[in-house]
Amino acid sequence: MRDIKKLLAFVLCVVFVLLSLCSCKAEKSASDEMFALDTIITFKIYDSDKDKAENTISLLKDTITRLESSLSATKKGSDVYNINHSSGEKVYVSEATATLIKTACEISESCGGAFDISVYPLVKLWGFDKKEYKVPTQSEISDVLADVNFRNITIEDNSVTVKKGMSIDLGAIAKGYISNCVYDVMKSEKIERGIVNLGGMVVTYNSDESQSDWEIGVEYPDTGELFGKLSGKYTFTVTSGAYQRYFEENGVRYHHIIDPKTGSPAQSDISSVTVLGDDGTYCDALSTALFVMGVEDSLKYLKTHSDESGNMHSFIILNSNKDKLYISSDLADGEFTLYDDFEDEISVSVIDTMFV
Ligand code: ADP
Ligand code: MG
C-alpha cells in the first residue's frame, strides 16, 4: 500500500500538495498544464460545455502570465522592479500592487516581522533568486540585514516608497494573490467545477455547494509520500516547508524561507505548514510566516488572530521530527484524515483556537 503511494508521489513529485478528485458529476472536460511561477501548474476544469472548459483554461493561463510579469522582481518595468530601482523615490504602481504590498506589511506587523517582503536582498545573497546558491559570511549577512525592515515601506494611495538600499520580493504572497484571481476567473466563466494546482497552492471551485468535496493529499516532507488527505471545503490550501526549495553544502541544508531576524534560512521546528481558507493571499503569506515562527509562536499566533473574515484559521502543522501534527479543531471531525500507515508514526494534537 505504502509503495503504491510512494510511486504515485514520485510520479507527481513536481507538486508539493497532491490532489485527486472524488465522485464528480460533470466529466472532466478539459485539463492542461503550464510552467509558470517557477513550478508546474495543472488545470482541471469540469463542465458539460467542453469549449467553455477549454476557453476557461486559456483565460486562466493568460491571467497567470500577466500577473506573474506584473509582480515579478526581475522583469524590467514591472511595479516591483520599479520599486527596487527607485533609490528611495516614490513610485506609482497599480492599485492591485499597492493593495498587495499593504496587505503584506499588515501581515508582517501582525506576526512581529517573521514575514517581511524586504528580505529580497537576503534571498539574493543566498543565491535563491537565480539558483546560484552560496553560503554567505556572517559579515555579509549583517551588512544586508541592515536594509531589511518592512516598516521602511510607505504606501500612500497607489504609491510605494522604500528606503534607499531596500528592495522587495513578493515571492511568498504573489502566488496567493494570483490564486484569488484564478478563483475569480473560474467563477466569472460560470464553469461547473474546477481545480488548479499552482505547486504548493491548490485552488478549488464549485458552482454549487451541494457538489461533492475535493480531495487534497498532504505530502510527508522529503519522502514524497502522502500522510493524510483533506476533503476540501476550503477554496485555498497552501503548504510551505523546508523541503520545497533548498541546497546542501557540507551536509547542511539551506532552504528558501529566510528568518528576517537572523538573515539566514529559518531554523524552524516545523517541517511543513498548511493553511486553508477563503483568501489565497492571506493563506500564502501566513504559511510562510508560521514556518518562520516555529510551532510554539505559531500556536500562540493562531490562538490570538482571526482570519480576515473574523473566523479562526485552519491549519495543519507538522513538526521537524515529523512525528507530531497540530491541526485546527475545525479539521478534526472528518475534514482531515491521517492515513493508517502513519498512525503509529505521527501523533495528532487538535488545537482549539477559541479566541472569540
Ligand atoms: P514558495 O515560494 O515555495 O511557495 P513561500 O510561499 O513560503 O514558498 O515563499 C518563499 C519565498 O518568499 C522565497 O523564495 C523568498 O523569495 C520569499 N521569502 C523568503 N523568506 C521570506 C520571509 N520571511 N518573508 C517574506 N518572504 C520571504
Ligand atoms: Mg507563502
Side-chain angles (χ1 to χ4, degrees):
M1 183 60 183
R2 205 149 155 184
D3 284 346
I4 295 171
K5 274 192 212 132
K6 248 184 194 157
L7 184 68
L8 174 71
F10 176 74
V11 172
L12 297 169
C13 65
V14 283
V15 293
F16 306 127
V17 178
L18 303 176
L19 45 115
S20 61
L21 176 75
C22 67
S23 59
C24 177
K25 237 169 68 191
E27 266 181 47
K28 184 172 75 192
S29 345
S31 62
D32 206 348
E33 56 182 49
M34 75 188 286
F35 188 84
L37 304 170
D38 207 20
T39 190
I40 293 176
I41 301 178
T42 59
F43 307 90
K44 288 179 189 159
I45 303 293
Y46 299 78
D47 197 279
S48 43
D49 180 344
K50 197 172 171 8
D51 288 345
K52 184 160 85 175
E54 279 170 359
N55 189 40
T56 303
I57 291 185
S58 306
L59 281 174
L60 288 169
K61 285 182 171 177
D62 291 349
T63 304
I64 292 169
T65 307
R66 178 174 50 80
L67 293 173
E68 178 175 27
S69 101
S70 79
L71 298 171
S72 154
T74 49
K75 189 165 166 42
K76 254 191 172 162
S78 76
D79 284 344
V80 177
Y81 182 94
N82 290 342
I83 292 167
N84 292 348
H85 292 82
S86 62
S87 307
E89 296 293 318
K90 184 186 272 199
V91 175
Y92 285 91
V93 297
S94 71
E95 196 182 336
T97 306
T99 307
L100 189 56
I101 293 176
K102 194 158 177 256
T103 304
C105 291
E106 284 164 4
I107 292 168
S108 301
E109 194 67 64
S110 84
C111 66
F115 181 86
D116 191 331
I117 54 172
S118 72
V119 293
Y120 192 40
L122 292 165
V123 171
K124 289 205 280 195
L125 185 66
W126 286 88
F128 284 107
D129 59 330
K130 295 189 175 143
K131 297 192 174 77
E132 290 164 7
Y133 307 118
K134 64 172 189 319
V135 180
T137 64
Q138 194 48 52
S139 86
E140 284 176 313
I141 293 172
S142 303
D143 283 353
V144 173
L145 206 47
D147 288 323
V148 174
N149 187 349
F150 69 93
R151 292 196 175 89
N152 293 329
I153 303 172
T154 311
I155 305 125
E156 283 167 337
D157 298 322
N158 286 356
S159 74
V160 179
T161 316
V162 300
K163 209 173 142 195
K164 199 167 178 209
M166 280 179 82
S167 55
I168 61 165
D169 161 32
L170 300 177
I173 192 169
K175 199 184 266 182
Y177 171 73
I178 293 172
S179 300
N180 280 346
C181 300
V182 160
Y183 178 85
D184 291 344
V185 169
M186 290 197 276
K187 190 171 179 193
S188 65
E189 289 307 299
K190 297 192 172 65
I191 54 154
E192 284 170 36
R193 317 185 71 193
I195 186 161
V196 180
N197 186 338
L198 298 101
M201 161 66 94
V202 178
V203 188
T204 61
Y205 172 73
N206 284 345
S207 57
D208 179 350
E209 276 188 17
S210 67
Q211 284 165 331
S212 55
D213 286 339
W214 299 94
E215 281 193 2
I216 298 173
V218 189
E219 190 181 319
Y220 194 60
D222 301 317
T223 69
E225 293 167 276
L226 303 178
F227 69 85
K229 68 169 181 188
L230 288 154
S231 43
K233 64 175 190 241
Y234 293 96
T235 305
F236 302 97
T237 307
V238 57
T239 300
S240 281
Y243 62 101
Q244 295 178 336
R245 241 183 304 150
Y246 63 87
F247 68 97
E248 273 172 352
E249 202 174 290
N250 298 327
V252 181
R253 180 188 290 194
Y254 300 96
H255 60 77
H256 71 307
I257 303 178
I258 307 286
D259 184 340
K261 290 200 171 70
T262 64
S264 296
Q267 301 266 331
S268 179
D269 60 356
I270 291 177
S271 64
S272 115
V273 44
T274 300
V275 179
L276 303 95
D278 295 323
D279 182 332
T281 303
Y282 223 93
C283 293
D284 189 8
L286 196 60
S287 69
T288 309
L290 295 178
F291 183 87
V292 174
M293 283 192 259
V295 174
E296 202 183 327
D297 284 353
S298 286
L299 296 182
K300 269 190 212 151
Y301 179 92
L302 290 159
K303 285 180 182 203
T304 48
H305 292 76
S306 60
D307 72 7
E308 62 294 345
S309 331
N311 299 315
M312 64 188 268
H313 288 285
S314 301
F315 59 88
I316 300 173
I317 296 175
L318 184 63
N319 70 347
S320 47
N321 284 340
K322 297 189 280 185
D323 58 5
K324 264 195 123 174
L325 193 69
Y326 303 84
I327 65 171
S328 53
S329 52
D330 61 321
L331 301 179
D333 53 2
E335 171 80 5
F336 175 75
T337 313
L338 183 70
Y339 286 134
D340 293 349
D341 298 347
F342 285 89
E343 269 176 4
D344 294 338
E345 257 164 77
I346 301 178
S347 71
V348 181
S349 300
V350 175
I351 308 297
D352 207 350
T353 51
M354 292 308 291
F355 48 83
V356 276

